């Protein structure tokens, strides 16, 4: 368990999203859906979509650069780069190596991790523990996804939900404690609830996998919905208990932005007030591993988070996976 004595703080944040906006009205022209259905069932109004020349590493690099600038740290001071993604530029090499090259962070070890929409919290947890163990001093953690690249824009049950983006955090050893508690979990028995079936070693890409549409995301929406509400509450209560806090002690709750109904149900069960909850799913849709990082960066830059605030991050995603973290925000000196 991580507790307040371990001295790891987030010193910089950044995010990047593509410029192209895809609105609900645009989607009405593409599939049998309506702005009203999407708004009421998901809370999403629009999302950003990468163009054909943009890949996950491009957005990840931009977000990472902004987080480094925010912290006033240069790329050659990095010990570790973790990119959490389910849409790497290619199966290998890792997207984190491409980010390292783009940034010129030649002293950093690099790896990707696949934890779906829990990716940023998984990455933060790994970075925190790497720093706590004394191995590293500075880690750049980036959650980045271009889900549009694996979306079937003829499938109305998935194409209305997702958007592209990247969110980054610079994590550093410090003499003040920032991360108060962190908890990760997984349940691989739910592997088939949210997946990309083709293109791996089980079903290598072929004419048959293409014809079957196995290069597109598949999802059991209702099952994921029920899992999401339950696990967000359980994971949040677990880290709150670990940190010795109550929901009322939290200044800002930043949940994974998948669906406004999931967020509201979880917030209600945790007895959180409206002004304790950060929401931007209306603007970006579900940006997968990027979502919590984008929200955190927006909240910091808009002044919604101040020094001393206690932030609760919680996510869930493919795997199935989940993660929660409580951070006491430390302003830059
Ligand atoms: N436009 C219009 N109708 C749609 C639609 C769309 N985009 N997508 C589905 N429908 C239809 C369905 O076909 C169904 O029609 P039917 O009753 O005639 O069969 C009806 O709407 C209701 O579908 P249902 O799946 O029960 O809707 P829902 O209220 O559960 O909402 C989701 C569907 C996907 C929005 C919701 O289940 C969800 O958000 N799940 C979690 C998904 C998620 O977060 N995934 C990522 C996890 S990281």
């Amino acid at each position: 368990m991580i507790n307040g004595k371990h001295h790891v703080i987030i010193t910089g944040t950044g995010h990047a999203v593509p410029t192209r906006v895809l609105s609900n009205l645009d989607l009405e022209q593409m599939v049998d859906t309506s702005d009203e259905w999407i708004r009421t069932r998901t809370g999403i109004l629009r999302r950003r979509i990468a163009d054909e020349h943009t890949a996950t590493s491009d957005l990840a690099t931009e977000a990472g650069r902004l987080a480094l600038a925010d912290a006033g740290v240069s790329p050659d001071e990095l010990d570790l780069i973790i990119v959490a993604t389910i849409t790497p530029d290619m199966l290998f090499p890792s997207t984190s190596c491409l980010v390292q090259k783009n940034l010129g962070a030649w002293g950093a070890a690099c790896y990707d991790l696949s934890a779906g929409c829990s990716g940023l919290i998984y990455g933060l947890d790994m970075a925190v523990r790497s720093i706590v163990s004394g191995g590293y001093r500075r880690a750049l953690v980036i959650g980045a996804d271009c889900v549009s690249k694996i979306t079937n824009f003829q499938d109305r049950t998935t194409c209305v939900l997702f958007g592209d983006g990247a969110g980054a955090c610079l994590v550093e050893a410090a003499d003040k404690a920032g991360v108060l508690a962190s908890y990760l979990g997984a349940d691989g028995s739910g592997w088939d609830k949210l997946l990309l079936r083709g293109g791996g070693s089980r079903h290598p890409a072929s004419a048959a996998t293409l014809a079957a549409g196995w290069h597109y995301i598949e999802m059991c929406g209702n099952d994921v919905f029920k899992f999401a509400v339950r696990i967000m509450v359980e994971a949040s209560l677990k880290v709150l208990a670990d940190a010795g806090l109550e929901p009322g002690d939290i200044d800002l709750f930043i949940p994974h932005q998948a669906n406004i109904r999931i967020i509201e149900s979880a917030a209600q069960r945790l007895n959180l007030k409206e002004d304790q909850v950060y929401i931007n799913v209306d603007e970006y849709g579900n940006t997968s591993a990027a979502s919590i990082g984008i929200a955190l960066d927006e909240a910091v830059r808009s002044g919604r988070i101040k020094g001393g605030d206690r932030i609760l991050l919680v996510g869930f995603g493919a795997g199935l996976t989940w993660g929660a973290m409580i951070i006491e925000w430390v302003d830059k000196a």
Side-chain angles (χ1 to χ4, degrees):
M1 192 191 91
I2 293 168
N3 62 40
K5 297 188 179 63
H6 282 118
H7 310 315
V8 179
I9 62 173
I10 293 175
T11 54
T13 57
H15 81 269
V17 288
T19 48
R20 185 182 159 213
V21 176
L22 185 71
S23 70
N24 292 349
L25 298 178
D26 296 328
L27 282 161
E28 282 185 359
Q29 310 302 313
M30 298 160 69
V31 284
D32 180 16
T33 191
S34 66
D35 172 51
E36 206 258 335
W37 192 97
I38 302 170
R39 262 189 299 113
T40 53
R41 299 291 180 116
T42 72
I44 300 167
L45 305 183
R46 57 190 76 85
R47 66 290 288 145
R48 303 297 183 91
I49 302 292
D51 65 27
E52 61 187 300
H53 306 294
T54 303
T56 297
S57 68
D58 300 315
L59 298 176
T61 300
E62 179 61 13
R65 217 187 288 282
L66 289 167
L68 284 166
D70 187 33
V73 167
S74 84
D76 55 17
E77 294 177 276
L78 286 176
D79 301 313
L80 179 64
I81 299 174
I82 302 172
V83 175
T85 185
I86 52 159
T87 52
D89 285 30
M90 48 200 103
L91 273 178
F92 70 90
S94 70
T95 300
S96 54
C97 282
L98 303 175
V99 170
Q100 186 221 36
K101 170 190 71 78
N102 294 344
L103 293 175
W106 305 117
C110 299
Y111 68 91
D112 286 4
L113 69 81
S114 173
C117 306
S118 316
L120 187 89
I121 297 182
Y122 261 69
L124 286 174
D125 183 281
M126 292 298 120
V128 166
R129 291 178 199 279
S130 301
I131 291 170
V132 163
S133 73
Y136 298 117
R137 284 195 61 78
R138 283 186 195 86
L140 182 60
V141 179
I142 308 172
D145 270 310
C146 288
V147 181
S148 70
K149 308 277 183 172
I150 56 164
T151 297
N152 179 356
F153 281 97
Q154 294 178 337
D155 173 9
R156 69 177 184 174
T157 66
T158 52
C159 76
V160 303
L161 302 177
F162 298 97
D164 301 335
C169 295
L170 188 75
V171 184
E172 296 191 67
D175 54 10
K176 284 184 205 165
V179 176
L180 303 183
S182 181
Y183 162 58
L184 303 180
D187 174 9
S189 72
W191 69 273
D192 55 351
K193 300 295 179 197
L194 191 53
L195 75 161
L196 186 80
R197 206 175 288 272
S201 59
R202 178 71 57 194
H203 302 292
S206 67
T209 62
L210 270 184
W214 288 0
H215 52 299
Y216 292 133
I217 195 163
E218 295 174 47
M219 183 181 74
C220 303
N222 285 320
D223 291 345
V224 174
F225 191 102
K226 284 181 231 145
F227 154 74
V229 174
R230 175 178 62 78
I231 211 65
M232 292 230 289
V233 174
E234 283 178 23
S236 297
L237 291 175
K238 165 92 171 87
V239 283
L240 282 164
D242 287 350
L245 298 173
E246 302 284 333
D249 298 323
I250 294 300
D251 295 289
L252 195 61
F253 175 59
I254 303 186
H256 170 46
Q257 307 282 318
N259 181 321
I260 190 77
R261 287 156 56 216
I262 295 176
I263 295 172
E264 284 175 352
S265 302
Q268 196 183 8
R269 287 176 204 204
L270 288 166
N271 287 319
L272 294 169
K273 297 192 205 77
E274 217 174 291
D275 64 357
Q276 284 174 284
V277 183
Y278 195 85
I279 292 171
N280 66 8
V281 68
D282 48 331
E283 273 303 311
Y284 302 116
N286 179 347
T287 55
S288 187
S291 123
I292 291 171
I294 294 174
L296 180 65
D297 184 46
E298 280 191 347
V300 172
R301 287 178 194 259
S302 66
R304 186 100 183 254
I305 295 177
K306 301 172 296 299
D309 281 358
R310 287 169 180 150
I311 319 300
L312 169 54
L313 312 178
V314 61
F316 59 91
L320 298 165
T321 57
W322 57 89
M325 180 174 274
I326 297 182
I327 300 167
E328 189 170 288
W329 201 256
V330 177
D331 272 338
K332 285 190 279 290

